[in-house]
Amino acid sequence: MQETKILLTEEEIPTYWYNVLADLPFELPPLLHPVTGEPTRLPPPLFPEALNEQEYSKDRYIEIPEEVREVYKLWRPTPLYRARRWEKTLDTPAKIYYKWEGVSPPGSHKPNTAVAQAYYNKKEGVKRLTTETGAGQWGSALAFGCQLFGLECKVYMVKVSYHQKPYRRVLMETWGAEVVPSPSQDTESGRRILAQDPETSGSLGIAISEAVEDAGSREDTKYSLGSVLNHVLLHQTVVGLETRKQLEKAGDYPDILVGCVGGGSNFAGFFFPFLKDKLEGKPLRMVCAESTACPSLTKGLYAYDYGDTAGVAPMAKMDTLGHTFVPAPIHAGGLRYHGMAPLISALYEEGLVEAVAFYQNSIFEAAVNFAQAEGFVPAPESAHAIKAVMEEALKCREAGESKVIAFNFSGHGHFDLAAYEAYLAGQLEDYEYPDEKVKEALKDLPKVAV
Ligand SMILES: *Cc1c(COP(=O)(O)O)cnc(C)c1O
């Protein structure tokens, strides 16, 4: 059989999410309260009860509500492609598969959780959600989810992206959201940071502080996070569950699973449904691809840190560059969060997943190579995964090994063409976050007793 894309029917959309907490061979360190330092649940004024339950549940399977599956049908199941043309370009004996999440209306994997979160908030009577967004993908996914379930949505968008990516803002506004550049004058934490540094380019950490403060100050409002937390990773497992079925249909089992990691949600959703196989002895490799400009796994410290810059969000034990991290404005490749999902961090510390970091010119080079073979233009984030796959495929060529490599192609780059333009014009500078800066930022880590 020479299928290019392996498809599933609507009935084959998973009916449950897979909860990896049921199968972990270790206990995940708890979240800690930002002020008391005591183990804490997600702060209830910020999150609905259903998501708080999912955050800590040890049930292996959690049912996907019918209303959520109904919305998933707009773009799920997503296709799994065999990258035959790219394999030829790379002249590799490896078999390469990609799970294509760019077919969702917002263009990435993010609505898999945005839709679920909007649903649970609506069900518990919430009227309005706040969130932060960097490049704009999460903001647009939440705007989309809120629109479908009739919720208001306010997005604090990192200032540098707000100005560099006006079209993402327009997309969010088209789905009815209000968007402001962060730091903004709308919150205490925004005003404080602007007073210190009026020219700041903003950061995800700062935008999180603003969105959290906003939600905390209004009865009708809750906060929504697009990555990092366990329940977000849980919702993304629809991706890996579908992929398993599709690979079975293709008659293959992966040797290597690859994904890019910002906060870790798309890759977690992709590989969690395979993790049990690895724990039971399958020689499966999981490779996280990150940016040298924001190397939380490869250069960060595994320690308790705040989820945001102002220190109002709970502390999580994770691989972190320090909550005071501000990404270099010359970095165009996405994946800018200072921390990493506690689940991915713990698996990395246990040696169950690997990590590699790439310079931005090399990821755009890989993205262009891929786009010229397969057609799809990757989001810069996804391009990190593509670069990692390329390296593995070239290793297979040298070794004459026909491995099966599957990666999560998390989204399209149609709103990132300015970054492509800069790359094609030779104007992108490679940037490696300096070791001294890591050391400096880590001095500000909270002191915790645990
Ligand atoms: C947000 C985003 C990422 C990074 O976030 P994760 O939580 O690590 O998945 C990766 N790819 C795309 C296309 C994104 O929009």
Side-chain angles (χ1 to χ4, degrees):
M1 254 207 311
Q2 289 281 307
E3 274 179 327
T4 297
K5 49 187 190 308
I6 298 114
L7 299 172
L8 301 173
T9 64
E10 278 183 10
E11 288 72 54
E12 289 175 288
I13 295 174
T15 51
Y16 58 84
W17 293 298
Y18 166 67
N19 181 12
V20 78
L21 285 172
D23 291 316
L24 280 189
F26 51 82
E27 279 294 318
L28 198 64
L31 294 175
L32 301 182
H33 192 279
V35 179
T36 66
E38 295 294 321
T40 181
R41 288 161 53 86
L42 297 177
L46 294 181
F47 293 89
E49 199 45 42
L51 296 179
N52 224 324
E53 259 167 45
Q54 290 179 359
E55 190 66 18
Y56 296 100
S57 169
K58 294 260 172 98
D59 295 345
R60 184 167 289 116
Y61 301 112
I62 294 179
E63 196 176 345
I64 303 177
E66 203 42 52
E67 294 89 334
V68 173
R69 282 185 87 236
E70 236 1 91
V71 178
Y72 279 174
K73 284 179 188 169
L74 285 171
W75 73 96
R76 306 210 71 85
T78 61
L80 180 78
Y81 279 78
R82 171 82 186 271
R84 290 184 201 282
R85 290 181 176 80
W86 195 37
E87 289 169 14
K88 216 170 263 166
T89 307
L90 297 174
D91 189 22
T92 178
K95 289 183 179 179
I96 303 174
Y97 290 94
Y98 56 92
K99 179 68 165 162
W100 181 215
E101 289 294 305
V103 292
S104 74
S108 75
H109 65 286
K110 288 199 169 78
N112 295 329
T113 184
V115 165
Q117 292 191 39
Y119 166 79
Y120 288 117
N121 275 286
K122 175 78 179 182
K123 205 172 154 213
E124 294 182 27
V126 176
K127 299 274 183 293
R128 178 175 174 269
L129 288 179
T130 64
T131 197
E132 71 289 340
T133 197
Q137 285 111 325
W138 170 242
S140 38
L142 193 69
F144 165 72
C146 284
Q147 178 60 43
L148 289 181
F149 286 104
L151 296 170
E152 282 176 55
C153 180
K154 175 154 180 186
V155 181
Y156 292 86
M157 184 171 188
V158 177
K159 200 194 321 175
V160 63
S161 301
Y162 183 91
H163 294 299
Q164 280 173 359
K165 305 197 169 180
Y167 298 134
R168 277 276 170 199
R169 169 174 59 77
V170 176
L171 188 63
M172 291 183 255
E173 289 169 349
T174 302
W175 281 319
E178 180 193 354
V179 188
V180 290
S182 164
S184 75
Q185 296 291 350
D186 298 2
T187 66
E188 272 293 327
S189 28
R191 287 190 291 271
R192 192 170 47 224
I193 286 161
L194 282 175
Q196 283 166 6
D197 179 7
E199 299 307 315
T200 179
S201 49
S203 75
L204 268 183
I206 295 170
I208 294 175
S209 307
E210 289 203 276
V212 165
E213 184 188 320
D214 179 330
S217 69
R218 279 179 61 161
E219 271 301 312
D220 63 348
T221 302
K222 292 206 184 291
Y223 166 70
S224 179
L225 196 57
S227 188
V228 178
L229 294 178
N230 299 345
H231 67 266
V232 179
L233 277 47
L234 169 79
H235 300 154
Q236 291 297 348
T237 58
V238 281
V239 178
L241 291 165
E242 287 178 9
T243 303
R244 265 196 92 104
K245 269 193 207 165
Q246 287 163 309
L247 283 171
E248 266 167 40
K249 272 197 172 180
D252 269 321
Y253 187 87
D255 296 297
I256 310 175
L257 295 173
V258 179
C260 64
V261 289
S265 73
N266 86 83
F267 190 39
F270 186 64
F271 84 80
F272 279 179
F274 294 88
L275 185 67
K276 200 151 176 278
D277 296 357
K278 173 150 181 136
L279 294 172
E280 287 166 359
K282 279 241 188 200
L284 177 59
R285 290 176 52 209
M286 330 267 191
V287 181
C288 302
E290 65 180 11
S291 165
T292 53
C294 187
S296 343
L297 287 173
T298 52
K299 278 197 177 178
L301 189 71
Y302 186 53
Y304 268 102
D305 196 6
Y306 300 111
D308 69 322
T309 302
V312 294
M315 295 181 270
K317 189 155 189 192
M318 60 183 173
D319 287 290
T320 179
L321 296 168
H323 60 281
T324 52
F325 173 84
V326 176
I330 56 162
H331 174 60
L335 308 177
R336 292 180 178 85
Y337 184 59
H338 70 270
M340 181 56 61
L343 270 168
I344 299 237
S345 301
L347 289 167
Y348 180 64
E349 294 308 313
E350 295 282 326
L352 288 163
V353 300
E354 307 165 34
V356 276
F358 297 112
Y359 288 105
Q360 61 178 350
N361 276 298
S362 76
I363 64 110
F364 278 103
E365 185 188 3
V368 168
N369 182 275
F370 177 88
Q372 292 182 349
E374 294 291 315
F376 299 115
V377 176
E381 290 85 355
S382 317
H384 290 77
I386 287 170
K387 170 68 179 165
V389 170
M390 197 164 165
E391 294 216 327
E392 292 296 336
L394 295 178
K395 274 190 233 160
C396 286
R397 179 167 84 189
E398 272 156 39
E401 282 177 318
S402 170
K403 293 204 168 135
V404 176
I405 307 172
F407 73 97
N408 195 15
F409 189 176
S410 52
H412 69 62
H414 297 177
F415 290 92
D416 302 284
L417 293 178
Y420 275 86
E421 184 177 33
Y423 165 73
L424 292 171
Q427 288 164 353
L428 278 191
E429 282 172 58
D430 279 336
Y431 179 76
E432 180 160 359
Y433 193 63
D435 292 324
E436 311 81 70
K437 280 197 138 180
V438 180
K439 281 196 201 116
E440 209 177 291
L442 293 180
K443 281 198 209 120
D444 298 324
L445 286 183
K447 310 271 176 291
V448 297
V450 183

